[in-house]
Amino acid sequence: MGNKHFAGIGLNLNTFAGLLRVIFGLIFILSAVMKFTDLEAFADAIKNFNLVGGILIPITQYSVPIIEVIFALALIFNFKTAIASQLATFLLAFFTALIISKLFEGADVSCGCFGELTSDKIDEFTVLRNIVLMGIGIFITA
């Protein structure tokens, strides 16, 4: 990334990318922790999206936050950062596509993205937030 300063504030691009990497990881930690604090609400969100059913609901209910923690720890501790940020960005893209699909269907559901912190229904802001997060993931990967 070089030693050029970012936005003229004396912060080089490597430092800026490292800061974004840690923030990106912390966002995934927050998301996972909030899901773990209310697994039933997250299971309801999974059901509302009609993505999986039956026995796959509890598997998904636990695996998504565990995967988020794995990605987050890799990002925070700078371990296999390119792979972790690519997979985290892909996960965001997948969920964003689901959200857009539900918006087109006119569904009135909560994404369950951050557990109790955001019990709001999905909307254009949810999509925009995810696009910004995907941009961060792409920047970290580059």
Side-chain angles (χ1 to χ4, degrees), residues 1-116:
M1 290 205 167
N3 288 325
K4 294 186 179 183
H5 288 91
F6 180 76
I9 58 173
L11 185 68
N12 72 38
L13 284 177
N14 288 334
T15 304
F16 181 70
L19 181 63
L20 276 181
R21 177 181 46 78
V22 171
I23 291 169
F24 197 49
L26 290 173
I27 290 169
F28 274 90
I29 287 282
L30 176 65
S31 176
V33 167
M34 295 313 297
K35 286 178 179 86
F36 278 130
T37 61
D38 192 356
L39 283 168
E40 288 307 312
F42 184 53
D44 289 341
I46 294 167
K47 291 174 194 168
N48 290 337
F49 271 86
N50 295 319
L51 179 62
V52 296
I55 190 69
L56 293 178
I57 291 173
I59 292 170
T60 306
Q61 172 185 14
Y62 286 96
S63 63
V64 169
I66 289 170
I67 290 168
E68 288 176 336
V69 167
I70 292 168
F71 292 162
L73 292 176
L75 289 163
I76 291 167
F77 293 107
N78 202 19
F79 179 75
K80 304 284 186 184
T81 303
I83 294 169
S85 63
Q86 287 170 1
L87 292 173
T89 303
F90 176 76
L91 186 66
L92 281 165
F94 175 74
F95 286 126
T96 302
L98 286 174
I99 290 166
I100 291 170
S101 171
K102 288 298 174 184
L103 286 172
F104 276 116
E105 290 175 7
D108 188 30
V109 297
S110 171
C111 75
C113 303
F114 290 96
E116 296 173 352

